[in-house]
Amino acid sequence: MKLMEIYGIKTPKWKTVENESDLDAAADYVGYPLVMKISPDEPVHKTDVNGVIMNVQKENLHEAFKQLNYKRVLLQEQISGAEIFIGGIKDPVFGYTVVSGVGGIYMEVLKDLSYGLAPVSENEAMYMMDESKVTKMLSARKRNYDRLSLIRAITNISRLIVDLDVSEMDINPVIVNQNGAYAVDVRILLNSKQE
């Protein structure tokens, strides 16, 4: 989350806790309703291991913490909007590549993704959004979702991929609404340098 903020990408309000005694203060800071997630050191799909609890209210905060039963838990402001995927890889042929498309639980089903060679310009990011139908998703039903914020998120992520020599990365989802594009769940694998 801190890395996202350094690169100019919004995140929902968040705090991590490692013991139950810090839970109430952290939750009051984040606000209700909130999302609770395990916060592992190794990249993992949290939903695959029942590591995410949504719609947590004050009255079930401690119960949710015990249910997760993990050494470190991320508390996050719960926001809504369109779920977008932004990711990247270091391809052995093409080099640094940024990927974008429809995100959330539908990403692996729809596989509606667009690729660009990183870093990408704002025009290239806009083209990627059009190609993957993300633009249509953001404007469907007269939504006034912040497209410019998503364009900037794609370009900023493409710079991060190059700057940090990222091997694999995915932000799924990036939630886009009227107030901006928010990185909600982030996984990053850096290339290990071998001398």
Side-chain angles (χ1 to χ4, degrees), residues 87-89 94-100 113-120 124-125 127-128 131 154 158 161:
I89 58 168
F94 297 105
Y96 299 110
T97 307
V98 66
V99 186
S100 182
L113 300 171
S114 179
Y115 297 80
L117 298 180
V120 296
E124 290 168 318
Y127 174 81
M128 290 174 68
E131 184 180 48
I154 294 169
S158 75
I161 290 166

Side-chain angles (χ1 to χ4, degrees), residues 64-90:
F65 184 81
K66 288 172 185 162
Q67 185 180 331
L68 287 174
N69 189 27
Y70 202 75
K71 62 183 176 183
R72 187 173 54 239
V73 174
L74 174 71
L75 279 62
Q76 202 172 53
E77 174 187 12
Q78 186 165 306
I79 59 174
S80 61
E83 294 188 356
I84 309 300
F85 171 83
I86 303 175
I89 58 168
K90 188 174 184 182

Side-chain angles (χ1 to χ4, degrees), residues 125-189:
M126 202 177 320
Y127 174 81
M128 290 174 68
M129 287 170 49
D130 290 345
E131 184 180 48
S132 64
K133 300 181 184 72
V134 166
T135 300
K136 286 182 181 176
M137 186 177 173
L138 298 182
S139 57
R141 299 183 186 161
K142 299 184 180 178
R143 293 173 174 154
N144 190 24
Y145 289 173
D146 190 346
R147 289 179 52 211
L148 184 56
S149 186
L150 181 59
I151 289 166
R152 288 188 177 139
I154 294 169
T155 58
N156 291 349
I157 289 302
S158 75
R159 281 200 340 268
L160 180 153
I161 290 166
V162 175
D163 290 351
L164 301 182
D165 191 23
V166 169
S167 172
E168 288 178 41
M169 172 179 189
D170 66 52
I171 310 173
N172 189 22
V174 173
I175 294 183
V176 184
N177 58 29
Q178 295 90 336
N179 302 316
Y182 298 85
V184 172
D185 200 59
V186 182
R187 296 176 352 125
I188 300 175
L189 288 174

Side-chain angles (χ1 to χ4, degrees), residues 2-134:
K2 286 180 184 175
L3 190 56
M4 295 297 99
E5 292 166 1
I6 289 167
Y7 271 82
I9 297 147
K10 291 182 176 184
T11 62
K13 212 171 185 182
W14 63 276
K15 274 275 192 208
T16 55
V17 294
E18 295 186 7
N19 53 65
E20 197 172 356
S21 60
D22 298 331
L23 194 55
D24 289 300
D28 289 342
Y29 168 78
V30 170
Y32 296 96
L34 56 86
V35 179
M36 294 179 75
K37 307 174 185 180
I38 61 170
S39 181
D41 294 322
E42 297 296 319
V44 64
H45 288 288
K46 295 173 188 71
T47 51
D48 292 349
V49 294
N50 296 318
V52 179
I53 301 175
M54 298 186 69
N55 298 310
V56 176
Q57 299 287 351
K58 195 170 190 77
E59 56 270 15
N60 66 331
L61 178 69
H62 288 267
E63 177 189 331
F65 184 81
K66 288 172 185 162
Q67 185 180 331
L68 287 174
N69 189 27
Y70 202 75
K71 62 183 176 183
R72 187 173 54 239
V73 174
L74 174 71
L75 279 62
Q76 202 172 53
E77 174 187 12
Q78 186 165 306
I79 59 174
S80 61
E83 294 188 356
I84 309 300
F85 171 83
I86 303 175
I89 58 168
K90 188 174 184 182
D91 185 87
V93 175
F94 297 105
Y96 299 110
T97 307
V98 66
V99 186
S100 182
V102 174
I105 59 171
Y106 302 109
M107 190 202 97
E108 292 177 15
V109 176
L110 297 176
K111 295 183 179 168
D112 184 27
L113 300 171
S114 179
Y115 297 80
L117 298 180
V120 296
S121 68
E122 289 191 357
N123 283 341
E124 290 168 318
M126 202 177 320
Y127 174 81
M128 290 174 68
M129 287 170 49
D130 290 345
E131 184 180 48
S132 64
K133 300 181 184 72
V134 166

